């Protein structure tokens, strides 16, 4: 299963450059540009699997809307996926599975989200009243449906952020992880600074130029965003300590600076059977050698999923952590990456959680998130996995490496990992 190419939009902080663009707008920009760059006849694409985490009230199947909105052949079947922060891991894997099974030989995957375009709900009481009014046949009965509605019932209801099973938000879970794993505020701030420093250098060195597509910004479309607007080019470690904790204001260590920001953006990946790519004269970026999805108890360490998914993906690839030339871990929070690294190197974690006799392995920091990650670049939930894979494969080629590991945590106690091999 070959990853032929992939692109993404710049990632923009919520409420800034992309505030007037929907996830679908961003998705169409990424997918359309990818098809144009590869210069493939759209009729060659047999399937689109695309993801979105923040729901929309305007459409239910973003994948199909991409097909129709770009004027691609109507015969292309399409469906949408949501697996929280691991969504585009799933979309890429689903297309790869279809190729492996011989169902298709070419498919498009990816994900998009807009944290600026979040639907706002209504209270349960008002919802029942609105349904009652809609079903009522007379004006009197329609008005009567609202007779028990008070001012409190009219207050908008934002999307739920807490885990349904535990009532705990991701930030609260990350804060608990920091305490349980004894990850200091200083270590988290230093990692966040590292992320910004490396992402800024990657941009300065032109590493992201070929994978990030410019987006013209409404309302006049006279301005263009060409690069991520979250990366701090002047990051100074001394400034991180001035920020107050967000989730535990008295004893906490998680701040806005050592967490991934709410972000708008989209990514797209084109996959083919290797024989198909060769027949079209295309040289792939690389291949998906293996993958794994796992779950952990959300009441435990909610975001430790990469530490359980990565070993399984490595096993399925017949590789060890030491065989990886690059490692890219999703930076939901600095503490997640630091906790995952700690778990990889822990004999106790291996015995208790993985039922193994030896640790997963020691992480070479010169191979870890070498061009920054979600803390600096941003995290449009559904877009991040594809961003990680494409960014990592391009860096592998630059370095002359062969294999890499990408992994991410996700809401619900989920983990995702893929082992990639350069073409």
């Amino acid at each position: 299963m070959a990853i032929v190419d992939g692109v993404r939009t710049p990632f923009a902080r919520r409420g800034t450059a992309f505030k007037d663009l929907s996830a679908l707008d961003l998705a169409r920009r990424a997918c359309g540009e990818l098809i144009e760059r590869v210069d493939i006849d759209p009729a060659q694409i047999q399937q689109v699997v695309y993801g979105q985490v923040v729901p929309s009230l305007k459409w239910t199947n973003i994948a199909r809307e991409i097909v129709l909105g770009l004027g691609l052949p109507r015969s292309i079947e399409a469906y949408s996926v949501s697996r929280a922060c691991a969504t585009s891991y799933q979309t890429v894997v689903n297309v790869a599975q279809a190729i492996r099974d011989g169902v298709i030989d070419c498919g498009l995957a990816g994900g998009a989200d807009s944290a600026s375009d979040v639907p706002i709900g209504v209270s349960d009481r008002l919802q029942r009243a609105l349904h009652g009014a809609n079903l009522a046949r007379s004006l009197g009965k329609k008005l009567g449906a609202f007779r028990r509605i008070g001012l409190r019932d009219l207050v908008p209801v934002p999307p739920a952020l807490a885990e349904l099973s535990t009532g705990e938000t991701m930030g609260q879970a990350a804060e608990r992880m920091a305490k349980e794993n004894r990850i200091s505020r200083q270590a988290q701030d230093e990692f966040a600074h590292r992320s910004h420093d490396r992402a800024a250098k990657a941009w300065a060195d032109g590493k992201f130029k070929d994978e990030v597509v410019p987006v013209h910004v409404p309302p006049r479309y006279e301005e263009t965003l060409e690069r991520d607007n979250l990366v701090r080019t002047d990051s100074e470690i001394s400034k991180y300590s001035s920020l107050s904790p967000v989730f535990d204001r008295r004893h906490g260590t998680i701040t806005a600076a050592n967490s991934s920001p709410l972000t708008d953006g989209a990514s797209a990946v084109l996959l083919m059977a290797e024989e198909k790519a060769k027949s079209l004269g295309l040289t792939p970026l690389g291949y998906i050698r293996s993958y794994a999805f796992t779950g952990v108890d959300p009441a435990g360490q909610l975001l430790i999923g990469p530490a359980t998914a990565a070993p399984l993906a490595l096993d399925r690839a017949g590789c060890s952590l030491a065989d990886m030339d690059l490692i890219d871990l999703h930076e939901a929070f600095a503490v997640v990456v630091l906790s995952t690294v700690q778990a990889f190197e822990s004999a106790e974690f291996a015995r208790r959680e993985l039922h193994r006799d030896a640790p997963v392995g020691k992480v070479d920091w010169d191979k870890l998130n070498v061009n920054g990650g979600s803390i600096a670049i941003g995290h449009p939930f559904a877009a991040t996995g594809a961003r990680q894979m494409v960014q990592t494969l391009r860096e592998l080629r630059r370095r002359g490496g062969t294999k890499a590991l990408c992994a991410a945590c996700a809401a619900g106690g989920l983990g995702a990992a893929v082992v990639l091999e350069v073409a």
Side-chain angles (χ1 to χ4, degrees):
M1 296 86 72
I3 293 179
V4 174
D5 204 353
V7 300
R8 66 177 176 89
T9 68
F11 287 176
R13 187 181 298 277
R14 176 185 64 168
T16 61
F18 295 160
K19 67 181 186 301
D20 295 322
L21 293 172
S22 69
L24 180 57
D25 292 328
L26 296 168
R28 286 173 177 166
R29 177 71 182 105
C31 293
E33 179 68 21
L34 178 57
I35 294 169
E36 186 174 330
R37 286 192 181 192
V38 177
D39 194 22
I40 182 177
D41 180 355
Q44 299 284 349
I45 300 171
Q46 298 158 298
Q47 183 183 74
V48 175
V49 184
Y50 210 78
Q52 182 179 6
V53 176
V54 180
S56 173
L57 299 179
K58 299 175 183 177
W59 59 82
T60 57
N61 186 351
I62 190 173
R64 184 59 176 167
E65 297 305 327
I66 290 169
V67 172
L68 301 177
L70 289 178
L72 303 180
R74 273 32 179 181
S75 58
I76 298 175
E77 64 99 354
Y79 66 93
S80 300
V81 171
S82 179
R83 192 195 269 267
C85 304
T87 291
S88 52
Y89 277 83
Q90 190 68 66
T91 62
V92 168
V93 164
N94 281 17
V95 172
Q97 287 175 325
I99 293 172
R100 180 198 63 191
D101 293 344
V103 176
I104 63 170
D105 58 20
C106 179
L108 186 65
D113 266 306
S114 172
S116 299
D117 183 24
V118 178
I120 301 298
V122 298
S123 67
D124 291 343
R125 188 186 291 267
L126 180 56
Q127 182 182 47
R128 288 192 293 270
L130 290 168
H131 283 312
N134 185 56
L135 294 172
R137 294 177 178 271
S138 67
L139 179 60
K141 289 185 177 180
K142 288 180 182 292
L143 294 175
F146 297 97
R147 67 181 181 276
R148 295 184 178 178
I149 296 298
L151 291 177
R152 182 178 298 179
D153 301 319
L154 301 178
V155 176
V157 179
L161 298 177
E163 292 285 320
L164 185 62
S165 61
T166 65
E168 187 177 49
T169 66
M170 272 198 176
Q172 291 167 336
E175 192 66 80
R176 187 161 51 78
M177 286 178 70
K179 293 180 174 67
E180 291 178 6
N181 298 330
R182 299 181 180 180
I183 307 293
S184 70
R185 165 72 181 271
Q186 180 180 351
Q188 294 174 59
D189 287 349
E190 287 175 352
F191 183 84
H193 168 64
R194 176 186 189 271
S195 182
H196 280 280
D197 188 57
R198 297 201 170 200
K201 188 176 187 305
W203 270 112
D205 292 345
K207 290 185 174 182
F208 293 156
K209 183 179 179 181
D210 291 337
E211 67 191 70
V212 177
V213 301
V215 175
H216 300 300
V217 178
R220 296 185 179 181
Y221 296 93
E222 295 174 348
E223 296 181 11
T224 303
L225 186 66
E226 298 183 347
R227 54 189 295 169
D228 309 314
N229 70 4
L230 307 109
V231 180
R232 299 189 189 105
T233 56
D234 59 349
S235 179
E236 296 180 14
I237 187 62
S238 59
K239 294 181 179 178
Y240 287 76
S241 61
S242 64
L243 294 183
S244 299
V246 177
F247 304 101
D248 179 351
R249 296 189 179 277
R250 188 171 183 182
H251 303 294
T253 58
I254 309 293
T255 71
N258 57 37
S259 311
S260 59
L262 291 170
T263 313
D264 306 333
S267 60
V269 175
L270 185 69
L271 296 100
M272 290 184 187
E274 185 175 5
E275 299 76 14
K276 175 80 168 184
K278 287 180 179 178
S279 71
L280 295 176
L282 299 171
T283 301
L285 284 177
Y287 305 99
I288 298 173
R289 184 157 174 173
S290 70
Y291 62 87
F293 296 98
T294 56
V296 300
D297 184 355
Q301 294 203 11
L302 175 72
L303 305 176
I304 202 64
T308 59
L312 189 55
L314 289 168
D315 286 350
R316 289 172 177 173
C319 299
S320 69
L321 192 63
D323 295 325
M324 299 297 106
D325 296 301
L326 290 173
I327 301 169
D328 194 292
L329 300 178
H330 166 45
E331 299 172 1
F333 302 87
V335 70
V336 172
V337 177
L338 297 174
S339 294
T340 300
V341 171
Q342 184 184 89
F344 282 165
E345 299 176 355
S346 168
E348 180 185 354
F349 183 88
R351 288 191 299 270
R352 185 182 70 246
E353 302 296 336
L354 305 177
H355 309 294
R356 297 173 180 239
D357 296 329
V360 176
K362 188 171 180 60
V363 172
D364 183 343
W365 281 79
D366 290 333
K367 299 178 180 180
L368 178 67
N369 292 25
V370 295
N371 291 323
S374 300
I375 288 174
I377 294 169
H379 177 37
F381 308 120
T384 290
R387 188 272 300 167
Q388 287 181 274
M389 294 181 214
V390 172
Q391 182 175 311
T392 299
L393 281 172
R394 289 185 181 276
E395 184 63 22
L396 264 182
R397 292 172 68 89
R398 281 190 289 266
R399 293 181 174 225
T402 57
K403 293 182 284 294
L405 170 71
C406 294
C409 60
L414 299 175
V418 296
V419 174
L420 304 170
E421 189 167 11
V422 77

